[in-house]
Amino acid sequence: MIRSSKPPLSFETGANHLHGVLRVDQIRTDTFLQLVQHWADPQARDEILDALDQLADVVHSPRREGELDAAILQVEDVAGMDSAQVEVSIPDTRRLLKELSLVERVLSRFRRPLKGVLPVQQDRRAS
């Protein structure tokens, strides 16, 4: 595993070294803050809770195509939530690029060479 100097915003290899892991804790924090930003208004709180109940019903039952996305959009709509995005500073962008490059190096050990890219080994007996 690659150890980041800033774990809340980092790239690492997964425990099995077969995938990368992007950690962005700020998105979770922003999600909770946006979810409860209108909590003081009883009507808004009730609408959010109703949408969360509908989402829970979808999660715990067999789903039809698009049903989960629709339930999530409903929660986002009634809670007035923004897109899940985070601004990344220039120094953090450079650090993340370095971390991602290290992850890519670990994951690439399984990459097969492309046909025609590597030189074909000649038969030693032909020399």
Side-chain angles (χ1 to χ4, degrees):
M1 256 190 180
I2 298 164
R3 298 290 177 210
S4 175
S5 60
K6 282 188 166 179
L9 178 62
S10 60
F11 277 108
E12 293 188 356
T13 54
N16 61 7
H17 289 194
L18 297 175
H19 64 274
V21 176
L22 171 62
R23 181 173 165 186
V24 187
D25 291 358
Q26 189 62 46
I27 290 176
R28 181 183 306 160
T29 300
D30 291 349
T31 299
F32 282 123
L33 291 175
Q34 291 175 16
L35 191 59
V36 298
Q37 68 185 343
H38 304 294
W39 217 252
D41 176 9
Q43 181 179 353
R45 183 178 54 241
D46 289 343
E47 289 174 0
I48 295 168
L49 288 172
D50 288 343
L52 288 170
D53 284 340
Q54 290 173 6
L55 175 59
D57 289 343
V58 169
V59 168
H60 294 290
S61 63
R63 285 181 220 138
R64 293 182 299 255
E65 187 173 338
E67 195 172 24
L68 179 61
D69 291 337
I72 290 171
L73 286 173
Q74 179 65 18
V75 171
E76 292 173 341
D77 185 47
V78 298
M81 299 173 77
D82 295 326
S83 298
Q85 60 186 16
V86 173
E87 290 184 13
V88 181
S89 68
I90 292 171
D92 281 340
T93 300
R94 290 183 182 127
R95 179 185 52 77
L96 287 168
L97 177 60
K98 182 179 177 184
E99 291 174 9
L100 181 58
S101 296
L102 293 171
V103 168
E104 192 275 335
R105 189 176 312 142
V106 171
L107 299 180
S108 291
R109 71 189 188 282
F110 297 115
R111 187 178 348 164
R112 293 181 181 166
L114 299 174
K115 268 188 171 178
V117 174
L118 296 178
V120 177
Q121 183 176 359
Q122 295 180 355
D123 187 358
R124 287 180 276 156
R125 292 175 285 181
S127 304

